[in-house]
Amino acid sequence: MKIGVYPGSFDPVTFGHIDVIRRASKMFDEIIVLVMYNSAKSSPLFSKDERVKMIIEATKDLDNVIVESFDGLTIDYCKSKDIHIIVRGLRAITDFEYELQIAQTNKELSHGNVDTVFLTTSIKYSYLSSSTVREIASYNGDIYPCVPDFVAKAVYEKYGFNHEKQGDQG
Ligand code: ADP
């Protein structure tokens, strides 16, 4: 069985992530979305459990997608499950250097056993990032174009706003 692991912080999951998951799910027999802690990023808005639940809900129509969380290195997870492929998304050239470094590190650390494949973003999501979504929401701006409605509501709640989707009010 061809299994791919898509690791990330997903804080919160965006339409860009969901697009990558959807496309990867057609290429692999099974895609495991792995919710992780990224020490390079500031303290998360959502707990790992909350992030896992949101991704499960956002991908519930895809029956070969599994969502888990993990504390540790992605390659240790891969080793424990005998998985050899990591999936990552590439938005812009600015992602490239960072992603290349992680991919090469993972290849080295796994002694060549784990390779990374990249899916380039769909153009309409190329500007999207979880940090932008958090930033916009923190000022009560409109994040409904960026994330599923139930995610938007959960993000606004974290910032103490009750922001209904435009057109949804009576
Ligand atoms: P990390 O903290 O590991 O960078 P993220 O949740 O920010 O986790 O991103 C996970 C992966 O999804 C990364 O490979 C990132 O480049 C990719 N990604 C994020 N946003 C998008 C998007 N809008 N389109 C395509 N890929 C994306």
Side-chain angles (χ1 to χ4, degrees), residues 6-10 14 16-17 20 38 41 88-91 95 98-99 121 125 128-130:
Y6 179 33
S9 326
F10 308 106
T14 68
H17 297 129
V20 169
N38 185 338
K41 296 187 177 174
R88 294 281 286 180
L90 274 182
R91 277 162 296 191
D95 279 342
Y98 172 70
E99 292 291 344
T121 180
Y125 302 131
L128 260 186
S129 70
S130 300

Side-chain angles (χ1 to χ4, degrees), residues 2 32 56 76 91 100 108 151:
K2 207 167 18 143
I32 302 172
I56 290 174
D76 287 338
R91 277 162 296 191
L100 183 71
E108 275 303 301
V151 173

Side-chain angles (χ1 to χ4, degrees), residues 87-149:
V87 175
R88 294 281 286 180
L90 274 182
R91 277 162 296 191
I93 197 79
T94 41
D95 279 342
F96 182 76
E97 226 175 285
Y98 172 70
E99 292 291 344
L100 183 71
Q101 191 184 12
I102 304 179
Q104 286 173 340
T105 304
N106 284 334
K107 181 129 185 158
E108 275 303 301
L109 288 177
S110 68
H111 307 290
N113 279 318
V114 178
D115 253 311
T116 303
V117 298
F118 294 100
L119 290 183
T120 51
T121 180
S122 299
I123 296 289
K124 62 180 168 174
Y125 302 131
S126 62
Y127 68 97
L128 260 186
S129 70
S130 300
S131 58
T132 312
V133 167
R134 294 194 303 270
E135 172 94 13
I136 298 170
S138 72
Y139 293 104
N140 203 15
D142 187 8
I143 58 168
Y144 283 99
C146 310
V147 296
D149 291 0

Side-chain angles (χ1 to χ4, degrees), residues 11 37-45 134:
D11 187 34
Y37 175 70
N38 185 338
S39 58
K41 296 187 177 174
S42 54
S43 57
L45 185 62
R134 294 194 303 270

